[in-house]
Amino acid sequence: MAETAQRARPTFARLAVACGVGSSLEFYDFLIYGTASALVFGRLFFPQSEPWTATLLAFSTFAVGFLMRPIGSIIFGHFGDRLGRRRMLVISLSLMGVSTALMGLLPTYAAIGIAAPLLLLSLRIVHGLSVGGETAGATLLAVEHAPEGKRGLYGSLVTIGSPLGAFLANGAFALVLLLPEADLYDWGWRIPFLAGIAVVLVGLFARRNVAETPEFERLAKTERTERAPLIVVLREHKRLVLLTAGVNLGFNAFMFIVVTFLLSYGSQAVGISRSVLLYGSMAGSIAQVAGIVYFCRLTDRIGRKPVLMAGAIFCTLWGFPLFALVDSGDPALAVLGIVLAFGGSAAIFGPMLAYFSELFGPELRYTGVGFGYQIGAVLGGGLSPLIANTLVTAAGGSSWLVATYMSAAGLISLLCLFGLPETVRK
């Protein structure tokens, strides 16, 4: 009996491991693909193209993974709202880790021709499906176990997974970039992907002892689960889905330009060392972790919307200063711009998922949170590196159009937040 009670109420430390570590490992898998797209995939899988075109094609496969995320949210959300949060998280983590490890074993274009990018694309689809199920599920595991008044703090256990994953991914590539160029393109790039095997083992171990959430157990006992949660969400909560998607769109557009596009732009167009840019992203990831914890705790005291709106304003305004610092060609100024971009955006990213989970009832929460969040991720993060690459080409190598695009996307987030209610005092 005591063991059952203990499993029903996991400690903060146990949830931190299950949600934070598991989520960070999941995003490690996801982000190393974006890093590889910016640095090596163009040459390895699309060698018949010019460098910028090859990078564009690599970013296109990156976008395909994002397009799969809403589909993943529908599939995992359906079963997560009907069968439970925990078991869906085990499946999503397993799919992500295995597909990542297989990417590290792929032959390149030089070995098997057109089959190489096609296989890469197939594994990228699996990537996207699994991330579509991971984000909402990990959020609900944390937030639905949270004590009253601490949902923002507990929600931070999931969002810190993104910068921690970025730190690990950039760190892994920073190490392999120390290799001679011939070794990097021959076998060194595979090492971060093969580490996906360890990702699966550590992530599954972290989640194996965490019980199902009390809110879902109450739903299951009273037979209040929905048979078709997506249909109910689209019929009764369409406005919520559109507005939450818009909130995430601006943040994702901002963040994935910083995380992925700047690696190729800063090195190819400006001439800053790729290693310097990676180290800047690593430092920014640490700043974002600290910012997420601070801003999430702040939302538990003053409300979600004031903090989220401050973050949206930052994303709207910071694009132009960011590119001015990068375009200076000074490595220190470029790193400063990247670190501030990570840290300031934590105000909107940190509390976002906890806020979204409070907008939907528990019987629809996995589907509602996941679908809205992932639609925004597709329209923002999935397309932003591709759009940014195109805008730089259209502007003759200048970055001002990209900065304008970041500002417009941030404004969308801000306007959508105006249309959503406060949830802390509900």
Side-chain angles (χ1 to χ4, degrees):
M1 188 73 176
E3 181 181 355
T4 302
Q6 183 181 18
R7 283 175 58 82
R9 295 183 181 275
T11 64
F12 183 82
R14 177 173 288 184
L15 277 178
V17 173
C19 299
V21 173
S23 182
S24 67
L25 293 172
E26 186 99 4
F27 273 93
Y28 164 84
D29 284 356
F30 198 73
L31 291 173
I32 60 173
Y33 189 97
T35 306
S37 296
L39 298 180
V40 299
F41 275 177
R43 175 170 166 178
L44 292 173
F45 291 92
F46 307 98
Q48 305 303 314
S49 306
E50 293 296 323
W52 271 107
T53 304
T55 303
L56 188 67
L57 291 171
F59 278 141
S60 298
T61 61
F62 183 74
V64 166
F66 272 88
L67 292 174
M68 293 296 106
R69 288 170 69 160
I71 299 175
S73 73
I74 292 171
I75 296 171
F76 283 92
H78 176 85
F79 292 104
D81 280 328
R82 287 185 54 78
L83 304 178
R85 318 330 190 178
R86 180 178 172 272
R87 66 178 70 181
M88 293 300 105
L89 287 174
V90 172
I91 296 172
S92 67
L93 185 63
S94 301
L95 286 174
M96 176 64 79
V98 170
S99 61
T100 300
L102 290 176
M103 283 185 187
L105 299 173
L106 276 181
T108 62
Y109 189 96
I112 61 172
I114 192 64
L118 292 177
L119 288 172
L120 182 67
L121 180 64
S122 299
L123 292 174
R124 181 61 180 156
I125 289 173
V126 177
H127 248 153
L129 290 172
S130 58
V131 170
E134 166 68 20
T135 306
T139 300
L140 302 193
L141 192 68
V143 171
E144 291 182 352
H145 275 300
E148 187 66 27
K150 293 187 176 181
R151 288 191 297 270
L153 176 61
Y154 274 62
S156 73
L157 298 177
V158 180
T159 49
I160 61 173
S162 179
L164 286 175
F167 180 87
L168 294 172
N170 289 326
F173 269 96
L175 290 175
V176 299
L177 284 176
L178 297 175
L179 294 169
E181 184 171 307
D183 291 337
L184 169 66
Y185 284 99
D186 185 25
W187 55 267
W189 67 273
R190 299 180 183 275
I191 295 174
F193 288 92
L194 292 174
I197 299 172
V199 169
V200 175
L201 297 178
V202 174
L204 292 178
F205 178 80
R207 290 175 173 174
R208 67 186 178 91
N209 287 326
V210 177
E212 186 54 80
T213 70
E215 288 196 55
F216 181 80
E217 288 183 340
R218 285 193 292 271
L219 287 175
K221 287 179 181 178
T222 57
E223 298 183 350
R224 289 175 52 211
T225 56
E226 293 286 350
R227 295 182 59 85
L230 178 66
I231 293 176
V232 179
V233 166
L234 294 179
R235 184 178 65 232
E236 300 181 6
H237 302 288
K238 186 184 303 181
R239 179 175 177 274
L240 275 183
V241 170
L242 292 175
L243 289 175
T244 54
V247 172
N248 195 28
L249 184 154
F251 165 75
N252 262 263
F254 179 92
M255 202 65 241
F256 275 92
I257 285 177
V258 176
V259 170
T260 60
F261 173 75
L262 276 183
L263 289 177
S264 58
Y265 174 81
S267 60
Q268 295 180 24
V270 182
I272 300 173
S273 166
R274 292 181 296 181
S275 296
V276 168
L277 295 169
L278 285 172
Y279 294 144
S281 291
M282 292 172 66
S285 299
I286 299 302
Q288 193 173 61
V289 169
I292 284 172
V293 175
Y294 170 76
F295 288 122
C296 286
R297 294 185 66 181
L298 185 62
T299 65
D300 284 331
R301 297 200 300 269
I302 71 171
R304 311 280 186 239
K305 283 189 67 174
V307 177
L308 286 158
M309 292 176 76
I313 292 170
F314 175 84
C315 292
T316 301
L317 299 177
W318 188 244
F320 286 98
L322 170 64
F323 275 97
L325 292 170
V326 173
D327 287 338
S328 71
D330 186 323
L333 291 178
V335 168
L336 175 64
I338 291 170
V339 170
L340 291 176
F342 273 89
S345 63
I348 185 172
F349 180 49
M352 185 188 299
L353 287 166
Y355 178 57
F356 288 0
S357 71
E358 293 169 334
L359 294 170
F360 294 90
E363 69 279 4
L364 303 169
R365 192 170 284 156
Y366 205 133
T367 300
V369 173
F371 192 58
Y373 182 87
Q374 300 302 347
I375 290 292
V378 169
L379 299 177
L383 299 178
S384 62
L386 190 64
I387 292 172
N389 210 322
T390 304
L391 291 175
V392 165
T393 303
S398 175
S399 60
W400 71 271
L401 279 178
V402 180
T404 303
Y405 166 66
M406 294 171 76
S407 294
L411 188 60
I412 291 174
S413 290
L414 184 61
L415 293 175
C416 289
L417 283 167
F418 274 112
L420 290 168
E422 180 59 75
T423 57
V424 166
R425 288 175 288 276
K426 285 176 60 177

